[in-house]
């Protein structure tokens, strides 16, 4: 090849490279369109085939399965709460959630699930940046099972609240960066309820005005940690775990780098 042509070829290659970069950037910045309104159901099966906005709470008294069509934890179908209500309320029924991301409009306070005298089963879901006055998942006289699920960055109420003889089971589930101004940044288990955690992490949750940054287990409840990591949680008492008038079993688990004014790792009260 003639040497005098090389500068022009190099210049041409540079132009093509810049053009390709601009095309990629333009594609990334281009509007992707607004999410459609959710075509919700309250019983049977609700197949969610694309991101959608949920303007009203879905009330369930029978059985409902809600599943997303993208089986990828990094690219889940999103249901965004656009009101100050929760996503779902279960009363005496059963709700199953699969392969979903539950989030909220950034200008709203809402999202999550409340269950009374019912059952909740969640697998491969992501609860992300919900802002509530109570926990993301709130159950009363109910049972909740979460598998391969993540609850991240909840503001205001913390991760999970269980009361009145409820049962909570977490399998390979993470609760991370949740915050409450009361007790139980990650989980609040009370009133003769039971908690079983196997695997997963309860990390970097905070209860700066209360106790139990990671787990708050009180009022004749029973809590079990099995092969679980509690790391970086913060509270006034019991940065990792606050236990009061209840029982706890800890097996093959790691509790480290938690902070509290008393009981940085575990604070046990018998009153």
């Amino acid at each position: 090849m003639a040497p005098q042509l090389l500068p022009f070829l190099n210049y041409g290659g540079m132009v093509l490279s810049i053009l390709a970069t601009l095309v990629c950037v333009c594609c990334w910045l281009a509007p992707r369109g607004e999410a459609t309104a959710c075509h919700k159901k309250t019983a049977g099966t609700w197949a969610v085939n694309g991101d959608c906005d949920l303007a009203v709470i879905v009330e369930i008294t029978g059985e409902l399965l809600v599943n997303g069509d993208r089986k990828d934890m990094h690219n889940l179908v999103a249901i965004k709460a656009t009101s100050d209500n929760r996503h779902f309320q279960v009363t005496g029924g059963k709700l199953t959630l699969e392969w979903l991301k539950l989030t909220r409009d950034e200008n709203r306070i809402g999202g999550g699930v409340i269950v009374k005298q019912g059952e909740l089963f969640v697998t491969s879901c992501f609860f992300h940046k919900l802002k509530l006055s109570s926990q993301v998942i709130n159950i009363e006289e109910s049972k909740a099972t979460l598998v391969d699920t993540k609850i991240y960055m909840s503001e205001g109420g913390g991760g999970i609240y269980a009361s009145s003889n409820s049962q909570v089971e977490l399998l390979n589930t993470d609760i991370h960066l949740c915050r409450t101004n009361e007790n139980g940044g990650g989980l609040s288990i009370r009133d003769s309820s039971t908690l079983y955690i196997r695997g997963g992490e309860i990390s970097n949750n905070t209860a700066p005005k209360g106790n139990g940054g990671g787990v708050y287990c009180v009022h004749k409840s029973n809590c079990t940690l099995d092969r679980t990591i509690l790391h970086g949680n913060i509270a006034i008492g019991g940065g990792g775990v606050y236990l009061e008038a209840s029982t706890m079993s800890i097996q093959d688990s790691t509790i480290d780098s938690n902070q509290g004014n008393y009981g940085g790792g575990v604070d046990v009260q018998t009153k």
Side-chain angles (χ1 to χ4, degrees), residues 50-81:
D51 297 352
C52 66
D53 292 344
L54 186 64
V56 296
I57 190 169
V58 179
E59 298 182 6
I60 301 148
T61 56
E63 292 194 15
L64 175 66
L65 164 63
V66 187
N67 56 14
D69 67 346
R70 297 199 292 263
K71 308 299 190 287
D72 179 357
M73 285 296 289
H74 299 288
N75 187 34
L76 295 171
V77 169
I79 299 179
K80 180 170 67 175

Side-chain angles (χ1 to χ4, degrees), residues 4 12 15 64 71 93 95 116 142 151 170 182 207 222 259 268:
Q4 60 269 27
V15 171
L64 175 66
K71 308 299 190 287
L95 172 65
K116 295 182 179 180
S142 300
I151 300 176
L170 306 183
E182 299 182 359
N222 182 281
Q259 300 178 41
V268 179

Side-chain angles (χ1 to χ4, degrees), residues 212-231:
V215 178
Y216 180 76
C217 184
V218 300
H219 304 162
K220 299 181 180 180
S221 294
N222 182 281
C223 297
T224 299
L225 307 181
D226 182 5
R227 289 163 280 178
T228 301
I229 296 173
L230 264 71
H231 173 85

Side-chain angles (χ1 to χ4, degrees), residues 4-117:
Q4 60 269 27
L5 294 178
L6 289 176
F8 296 100
L9 292 175
N10 289 336
Y11 176 76
M14 184 184 301
V15 171
L16 289 175
S17 177
I18 293 172
L19 287 174
T21 302
L22 288 173
V23 169
C24 290
V25 170
C26 290
C27 290
W28 180 66
L29 292 176
R32 298 177 182 272
E34 297 182 358
T36 59
C38 295
H39 299 292
K40 68 182 182 71
K41 297 182 67 174
T42 58
T45 299
W46 173 14
V48 187
N49 297 317
D51 297 352
C52 66
D53 292 344
L54 186 64
V56 296
I57 190 169
V58 179
E59 298 182 6
I60 301 148
T61 56
E63 292 194 15
L64 175 66
L65 164 63
V66 187
N67 56 14
D69 67 346
R70 297 199 292 263
K71 308 299 190 287
D72 179 357
M73 285 296 289
H74 299 288
N75 187 34
L76 295 171
V77 169
I79 299 179
K80 180 170 67 175
T82 58
S83 71
D84 293 337
N85 294 315
R86 292 184 177 272
H87 290 86
F88 300 98
Q89 177 175 309
V90 183
T91 306
K94 179 179 180 180
L95 172 65
T96 300
L97 304 175
E98 300 177 346
W99 298 104
L100 295 166
K101 179 179 180 180
L102 299 187
T103 185
R104 66 176 175 90
D105 186 301
E106 63 181 14
N107 297 314
R108 294 292 186 176
I109 301 174
V113 183
I114 185 168
V115 185
K116 295 182 179 180
Q117 297 180 330

Side-chain angles (χ1 to χ4, degrees), residues 96-258:
T96 300
L97 304 175
E98 300 177 346
W99 298 104
L100 295 166
K101 179 179 180 180
L102 299 187
T103 185
R104 66 176 175 90
D105 186 301
E106 63 181 14
N107 297 314
R108 294 292 186 176
I109 301 174
V113 183
I114 185 168
V115 185
K116 295 182 179 180
Q117 297 180 330
E119 186 174 350
L120 173 67
F121 183 84
V122 181
T123 183
S124 303
C125 288
F126 186 17
F127 296 80
H128 187 230
K129 285 189 175 181
L130 300 180
K131 188 172 184 179
L132 306 143
S133 58
S134 61
Q135 283 78 358
V136 172
I137 295 175
N138 189 311
I139 69 171
E140 179 182 335
E141 294 183 84
S142 300
K143 179 179 180 180
T145 303
L146 281 69
V147 182
D148 297 328
T149 289
K150 301 181 186 299
I151 300 176
Y152 278 19
M153 303 175 70
S154 165
E155 300 178 37
I160 296 175
Y161 177 93
S163 66
S164 304
N165 294 290
S166 290
Q167 303 171 50
V168 177
E169 184 176 28
L170 306 183
L171 305 177
N172 193 34
T173 288
D174 299 335
I175 301 178
H176 180 65
L177 283 172
C178 293
R179 175 187 173 93
T180 181
N181 288 325
E182 299 182 359
N183 298 307
L187 300 106
S188 180
I189 309 298
R190 56 191 304 139
D191 305 328
S192 302
S193 295
T194 62
L195 168 69
Y196 177 75
I197 306 178
R198 188 182 73 208
E201 293 190 17
I202 312 299
S203 60
N204 300 108
N205 304 288
T206 57
K209 298 181 180 180
N211 300 317
V215 178
Y216 180 76
C217 184
V218 300
H219 304 162
K220 299 181 180 180
S221 294
N222 182 281
C223 297
T224 299
L225 307 181
D226 182 5
R227 289 163 280 178
T228 301
I229 296 173
L230 264 71
H231 173 85
N233 302 288
I234 300 173
I236 293 176
V241 175
Y242 181 88
L243 184 69
E244 180 183 308
S246 298
T247 60
M248 172 165 277
S249 172
I250 301 174
Q251 307 166 11
D252 300 323
S253 296
T254 300
I255 301 176
D256 75 324
S257 302
N258 301 284

